[in-house]
Amino acid sequence: MGMTITEKILAAHAELETTEPGRLIEARIDLALANDITLPLALEPFRQAGGTKVFDRERVVVVLDHYNPAKDIESAQMLKTCREFAREMGLTHFYDVGRMGVEHALLPEEGLVVPGDVVIGADSHTCTYGALAAFSTGVGSTDFAAGMLTGKSWFKVPETMAFELIGRPGPWVMGKDVILHIIGKIGVDGALYRAMEFTGDGVGRLSMADRFSIANMAVEAGAKNGIFPFDELTKAYVEAHSSKPYVVCESDPDAVYAEKFTIDLGSLEPLVALPFKPENVRPVSEVKGLRVDQVFIGSCTNGRIEDLRIAVHILKGRRVAPAVRMIVIPATPKIMAQAVEEGLLEEILRAGGAVSTPTCGPCLGGHAGVLAAGERAVATTNRNFVGRMGHPESEVVLASPAVAAATAVMGVLAEPGEVASWEGFEA
Amino acid sequence: MKFRGRVWKFGDDVNTDEIIPARYLSLADLSELGRHVMEGIDPTFPSKVKPGDIIVAGKNFGCGSSREHAPVAIRTAGVACVIARSFARIFFRNAFNMGLLILEAPEAAAAVLEGEALDVDTDQGLIRNIATGQEFRVSPVPPFMAELLRNGGLIAHLQKRSVACGPLDPSNKEPGKGSR
């Protein structure tokens, strides 16, 4: 019986020839990740289990991205605890202010994840690295503690759902629209406990940035992981960012899938997810005109250079509407530097937008753009739950950077085509 | 284990931001999390819930973030167990690791009403509605997870094992070298 890419990667890390959905395995992990919210909770279990050093200081990564730079005294204390632990353990890959970026944009950029890897992260959006043909999943702090101590973690091998992408995305359609479409179709538990595997010719027409956005939100459909096949684009990306050896796994032609869907990228249009679930998906064309107080472009979903480029294409020579606050947070220092070099930040500032240092910031209602009661944001983030970005009576509308930028200019939820021309845009 | 508790009923897709909003994630004292449990759905819930009460919810309970603060908040509020049609996967793992009892019982989740009292018998895998006399089956726990629970959670399980095989995997001792 054939195996899927997820099954193959897991089997290889459990020293098994084959494996099948439902089987419980103990797998070697190539990387364990935590952040300033989840690391402090891992310290007690780590010590309790007798931990004095991590299994491999090259393979335990700590990124202080959520409440950093410290938003208040309590978070400053938590950050200090994290720093002390990282230094005590001698972690090679420890990222703090100045070198820190939003973790799921940072790790691929730093070349820390390569194809064929098994990665656990104490952050639900760890599934992002599936874009690199790796198995990558979110866990809690205790699972992370066990992983950083032993270099292993247990998994139930998930069933896989196949999403065959065909066709070519039209103007303004980004990875964000693809994943919102899928979540709208299958629901927030549509892939519960399962792997979401993206296949088909359409994959080759999606940039790495698009693939990261798509894999990032697999968890919003309940999935254990999202995963893309390895192709020329993956190869180019990985070899530009990493010198680590890697293993290419691919699904067998007779691999078994629990369900199969076909998505014609050419049939998609810009989408949003209205409050309060990511499955509440509508075409922008049907709901445009909605009043908006804040626009946020950033996060592990859409804070990459490609996201800033398309936003600036729309903003250039225009002004953010007077009643709207636009906040742009490049996801990593390198993305920020690149945006400076390309003149993107200057255009954002000229348009009346604000730019902040890399952080998760407002995405989870942390800082740098928290919402008041009755306010509504259009955000390029991944969750629009009640109170996600602040007050329980605030609202978040999830959208692509193109829709977010158009909305900032129009002052109400808008389609990119209402503001700018697709002609002349080269991502 | 057998116990009796009063039901608080919630809907589908209860997420971790509702269970414990991010503004409380920097609380240093984890025992305080219980004072804010479920605030995202019902701000008065922390003042109403009593030790031994039971949360009953629909599908995909605990979706969203990987924060262990969520099961910890429920546990420190004194909630005896969460019964749901299904659980989000990271929450499911975390609950076992944090010692919060969770039971997958689709029929109970659908039939039970707020304010009703339930008798829960985890050994028999049975839930009984005291008012109506209705009995519901609990979906069996995977054997590995049952072992985790028997050993007292993941960390205690590891401590037990580390005596046998040591905490370090020898293949990974050399920093920077791949172990594939």
Side-chain angles (χ1 to χ4, degrees), chain A residues 403-425:
Chain A
V403 171
T407 299
V409 171
M410 297 294 281
V412 293
L413 185 59
E415 291 183 276
E418 292 178 68
V419 178
S421 164
W422 177 250
E423 305 301 314
F425 177 67

Side-chain angles (χ1 to χ4, degrees), chain A residues 48 67 142 154 193 277, chain B residues 13 22 68 87 93 159 180:
Chain A
Q48 263 177 20
Y67 289 163
T142 304
W154 66 269
Y193 304 126
K277 289 181 190 179
Chain B
D13 306 314
E68 271 179 7
F87 291 91
R93 272 181 94 115
Q159 284 169 326
R180 59 187 85 245

Side-chain angles (χ1 to χ4, degrees), chain A residues 95-390:
Chain A
Y95 298 92
D96 204 345
V97 172
R99 282 170 290 272
M100 164 278 285
V102 179
E103 55 201 274
H104 308 307
L106 186 70
L107 267 59
E109 185 188 273
E110 291 286 304
L112 296 179
V113 183
V114 293
D117 274 356
V118 167
V119 180
I120 61 165
D123 187 281
S124 57
H125 293 108
T126 302
C127 52
T128 310
Y129 317 130
L132 296 170
F135 173 86
S136 187
T137 193
V139 296
S141 296
T142 304
D143 274 313
F144 164 76
M148 83 169 153
L149 178 64
T150 64
K152 289 179 175 175
S153 195
W154 66 269
F155 302 100
K156 189 163 119 183
V157 177
E159 291 183 314
T160 296
M161 297 168 87
F163 295 87
E164 187 191 11
L165 310 180
I166 59 166
R168 183 180 297 278
W172 310 117
V173 171
M174 304 183 68
K176 183 63 155 285
D177 302 298
V178 177
I179 190 64
L180 286 180
H181 170 77
I182 291 172
I183 297 166
K185 199 171 165 128
I186 67 173
V188 293
D189 66 342
L192 193 58
Y193 304 126
R194 287 172 164 179
M196 293 172 80
E197 182 178 326
F198 304 96
T199 66
D201 292 348
V203 169
R205 300 185 191 104
L206 295 172
S207 69
M208 286 310 296
D210 286 330
R211 298 181 199 184
F212 283 123
S213 301
I214 293 170
N216 173 272
M217 288 187 71
V219 66
E220 308 318 332
K224 183 169 212 150
N225 66 313
I227 195 159
F228 277 84
F230 178 90
D231 65 6
E232 286 304 312
L233 217 55
T234 329
K235 184 176 157 71
Y237 183 93
V238 169
E239 291 175 4
H241 292 86
S242 185
S243 54
K244 287 167 84 169
Y246 62 86
V247 176
V248 175
C249 293
E250 52 181 23
S251 294
D252 293 324
D254 59 342
V256 178
Y257 294 95
E259 266 183 280
K260 284 187 181 180
F261 294 88
T262 302
I263 289 134
D264 180 1
L265 300 176
S267 72
L268 301 183
E269 57 175 307
L271 301 171
V272 287
L274 299 178
F276 290 100
K277 289 181 190 179
E279 70 184 19
N280 201 6
V281 174
R282 301 278 186 284
V284 179
S285 58
E286 281 178 19
V287 290
K288 63 187 182 187
L290 217 54
R291 180 190 59 80
V292 171
D293 303 288
Q294 181 169 301
V295 166
F296 170 46
I297 299 176
S299 85
C300 57
T301 316
N302 281 116
R304 296 182 179 80
I305 193 73
E306 293 85 347
D307 300 318
L308 302 185
R309 284 180 191 142
I310 196 165
V312 167
H313 173 72
I314 291 164
L315 291 166
K316 195 169 182 170
R318 300 184 174 88
R319 295 282 298 168
V320 172
V324 173
R325 317 179 293 265
M326 185 177 77
I327 298 166
V328 180
I329 306 188
T332 71
K334 276 185 190 155
I335 294 168
M336 196 159 188
Q338 175 85 24
V340 170
E341 206 170 286
E342 294 182 19
L344 303 178
L345 295 196
E346 193 182 336
E347 294 296 342
I348 293 165
L349 296 172
R350 278 185 196 282
V355 179
S356 156
T357 188
T359 177
C360 303
C363 171
L364 75 160
H367 57 136
V370 176
L371 300 176
E375 290 190 328
R376 181 183 293 131
V378 167
T380 66
T381 56
N382 41 52
R383 291 195 176 125
N384 57 354
F385 299 151
V386 171
R388 172 72 179 178
M389 279 182 72

